[in-house]
Amino acid sequence: MGTTAGQQLRALFYVLPPGESSFRTLEEVPDYVEKSIPFFIAFIVLEFVVSWVQQHKLPGRINDGISSLSLGILSRLPDLLFRSVDIVSYIYVWNNYKLFELPWDSEWTWYLTFLGVDFAYYWFHRISHEVNILWAAHQVHHSSEDYNLFTALRQSFLQRYTSWMFNLPMALFIPPSVFAVHLQFNLLYQFWIHTEVITNIGPLEWILNTPSHHRVHHGRNPYCIDKNYGGTLIIWDRIFGTFEAEDAKVVYGLTHPVNSFEPIWLQLRPLAHIWNTFWAAPGFCNKLSVIFKGPGWGPGKPRLGLPEEIPAVTGNEVPFNPSVPAYLNCYAVIHFAVIMELYIDLLATVAALSQETILLRIVVIILSLTSFGFLMENRPKAVILEIIRCSVFLGVYKLGYLRNELSLLDYAYEEV
């Protein structure tokens, strides 16, 4: 089912009313996230303009922006091959274990689901910070040392395989079509709060998750750690004691920065760390604790670790920013734009493509994003990997698997 531009814009801010966002079947529910891509781009441009006017500086960096967008693309690639595990698991419970069925077209059902999805998100988000194996999936969203709308798109492709279980209680009585709408709205709402150009929105700060509250959540200052988990509403943090107001200047990123722009490494590095720590830990109980206690835990420490071990913040921290020639930045931006167009087209045409074509395009996208990460870090082997990437890209293109899909540079590639 189609949506108008006005409806899509209101969906982005969770203000599309029940009458315009209630559907009888799951098949009727629009892909609000995919349809929001043009608005993501427009608001990112607007953020750059406002930041330049307000502060005479840009809100981000090319290397970090490409890294965030790369991670966002990677997080959505599984959807091209499989149905979302959130939806599949929800439908299974609904079909086999539902206790009763609330009416799909009732406003009461709509608002109850709004609260239920946000409540489930709060606890999933909180536990993802407090359980090491779940933090390994979630931490990639916190790995940026910038805070802007690019950061909102910096998502984990592993997180979906840990979040689904928190929504299953709703499948006992809330129709999947209603759940699918709010699952998307909850995610979309969190896009616009990743910005520094909005300072305070007045009385709504008491109820809603806002840019100010979420800046705290992304901070690595000791006062920011494990605070403000809400998705749309901040009331859960106020109720359960995890709320913290923005105070001292927030320094963003992980307490122990990863110092990388390579998307696969950013996703998998914490798992490698858990693996090494697991085998180094003495005794079976300590090994289990490495997995299921907090990321700051160690033998003899509390479940979440010791607050005094959180590294101090001076406010003079310098983000990871390797020196890269200007021409290389331009090269990366242009080629990333080509891959972005390929990805957007793949989302739009996936139903009409063969499995072989989908897989080849996914390989091209992953290889390209990895190579761009190497280039942004100016690694010694970046040139070799980029030559391999370009060769694979041209080979797949010449075989026809990308034909007619790259309007930006189609003529140029035909001339190669």
Side-chain angles (χ1 to χ4, degrees), residues 17-91:
E20 298 180 61
S21 56
S22 296
F23 306 92
R24 182 186 297 275
T25 66
L26 192 60
E27 289 69 29
E28 295 176 67
V29 177
D31 189 338
Y32 290 105
V33 175
E34 178 186 334
K35 294 176 185 298
S36 292
I37 290 176
F39 289 100
F40 293 159
I41 296 171
F43 279 113
I44 286 171
V45 172
L46 179 61
E47 181 187 35
F48 270 70
V49 172
V50 173
S51 180
W52 183 259
V53 171
Q54 285 182 343
Q55 305 172 28
H56 302 291
K57 69 173 186 177
L58 298 178
R61 297 165 290 148
I62 290 174
N63 46 26
D64 190 78
I66 288 178
S67 177
S68 292
L69 291 175
S70 297
L71 288 161
I73 291 172
L74 284 179
S75 73
R76 295 278 289 173
L77 290 181
D79 293 340
L80 300 172
L81 299 172
F82 318 104
R83 200 169 192 177
S84 166
V85 67
D86 292 288
I87 299 298
V88 170
S89 59
Y90 195 96
I91 291 173

Side-chain angles (χ1 to χ4, degrees), residues 230-241:
T232 304
L233 301 173
I234 202 67
I235 58 173
W236 313 120
D237 290 283
R238 296 185 184 277
I239 292 171
F240 297 110

Side-chain angles (χ1 to χ4, degrees), residues 216-229:
V216 171
H217 179 72
H218 272 259
R220 69 188 202 222
N221 313 53
Y223 87 92
C224 298
I225 301 300
D226 296 340
K227 301 296 182 182
N228 299 359
Y229 296 111

Side-chain angles (χ1 to χ4, degrees), residues 304-318:
L304 299 181
L306 296 169
E308 55 267 29
E309 290 185 350
I310 298 172
V313 166
T314 65
N316 298 316
E317 284 74 13
V318 178

Side-chain angles (χ1 to χ4, degrees), residues 71-116:
L71 288 161
I73 291 172
L74 284 179
S75 73
R76 295 278 289 173
L77 290 181
D79 293 340
L80 300 172
L81 299 172
F82 318 104
R83 200 169 192 177
S84 166
V85 67
D86 292 288
I87 299 298
V88 170
S89 59
Y90 195 96
I91 291 173
Y92 177 81
V93 173
W94 171 261
N95 287 338
N96 293 280
Y97 300 105
K98 71 172 178 280
L99 302 177
F100 56 91
E101 181 174 345
L102 293 178
W104 65 269
D105 55 352
S106 167
E107 289 191 4
W108 289 103
T109 303
W110 196 94
Y111 286 109
L112 178 63
T113 310
F114 160 65
L115 292 174

